[in-house]
């Protein structure tokens, strides 16, 4: 077995900061921007939810893509991410260099563009972070991009928490569902969820075991 490469000075510095969570939160605004992406990844890896929430609240770029880091969705991690957005909402509509788009699904990004504030490559069809949803025309303070799967007439715990959180903040948050999977025998089993989703945002739709008359609901 090959020897593991030694940690770099940058990695050691980030690990040291994260061990002192109160310190990490207090120095976020002073940390060089080039260190923010690796620090965010380290916070994800180590489950530092308090630091994650603070990083989202003070993220200096318009776009924040975390899908590649969510290898195993944990509700506490989602609560931290959305808690950070709640802090951003408290400061609206005052303009600041803050996150406007939280992308929970992008997983094919190969590198981070620190100047542009988004990942390089064809990560998402909307490459320029804007408040207006590219597909529905909706304009709100913040947008959260996600995939949803409706199975047995309901969402899983992670998706349900996100869905309810967005519904409670519907005047400020646009939940943009780019991929929808319906794995049920009847759309009526999940009509409440479907009525709350902007169907114009859906780029990819997967249906299973549905009757033709159920599909008509997507054209209304």
């Amino acid at each position: 077995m090959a020897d593991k490469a030694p940690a770099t000075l940058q990695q050691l510095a980030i690990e040291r900061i994260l061990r002192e969570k109160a310190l990490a939160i207090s120095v976020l605004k002073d940390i060089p921007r080039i260190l923010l992406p690796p620090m965010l990844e380290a916070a994800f890896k180590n489950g530092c939810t308090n630091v994650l929430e603070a990083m989202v609240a003070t993220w200096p770029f318009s776009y924040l893509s975390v899908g590649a880091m969510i290898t195993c969705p944990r509700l506490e991690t989602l609560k931290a991410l959305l808690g950070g957005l709640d802090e951003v909402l408290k400061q609206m509509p005052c303009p600041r260099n803050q996150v406007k788009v939280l992308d929970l699904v992008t997983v094919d990004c190969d590198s981070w563009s620190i100047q542009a504030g988004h990942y390089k490559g064809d990560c998402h069809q909307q490459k320029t972070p804007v408040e207006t949803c590219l597909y529905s025309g909706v304009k709100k303070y913040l947008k959260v991009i996600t995939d949803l799967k409706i199975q047995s007439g309901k969402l899983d715990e992670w998706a349900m928490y996100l869905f309810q959180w967005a519904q409670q903040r519907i005047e400020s948050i646009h939940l943009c569902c780019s991929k929808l999977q319906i794995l049920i025998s009847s759309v009526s089993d999940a009509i409440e969820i479907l009525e709350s989703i902007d169907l114009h945002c859906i780029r990819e739709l997967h249906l299973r075991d549905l009757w033709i008359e159920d599909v008509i609901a997507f054209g209304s």
Side-chain angles (χ1 to χ4, degrees), residues 1-13:
M1 181 181 296
D3 293 335
K4 184 178 180 179
T8 64
L9 289 177
Q10 176 178 293
Q11 291 171 332
L12 292 173

Side-chain angles (χ1 to χ4, degrees), residues 1 27-28 38 63 65 97 106 111 114 120 153 171 201 203 217:
M1 181 181 296
V27 301
L28 280 177
Y63 197 93
S65 178
N97 291 329
T106 297
S111 59
I114 204 70
K120 294 179 181 177
E171 297 299 321
C201 295
R203 299 295 95 193

Side-chain angles (χ1 to χ4, degrees), residues 59-87:
W59 195 251
F61 310 110
S62 297
Y63 197 93
L64 176 56
S65 178
V66 298
M69 304 177 203
I70 306 175
T71 55
C72 182
R74 294 178 59 248
L75 187 58
E76 292 305 311
T77 300
L78 178 64
K79 288 181 178 179
L81 294 170
L82 300 183
L85 289 188
D86 278 333
E87 291 301 314

Side-chain angles (χ1 to χ4, degrees), residues 169-180:
R169 297 156 181 79
I170 196 167
E171 297 299 321
S172 304
I173 297 291
H174 175 54
L175 186 62
C176 182
C177 177
S178 56
K179 177 181 177 181
L180 175 63

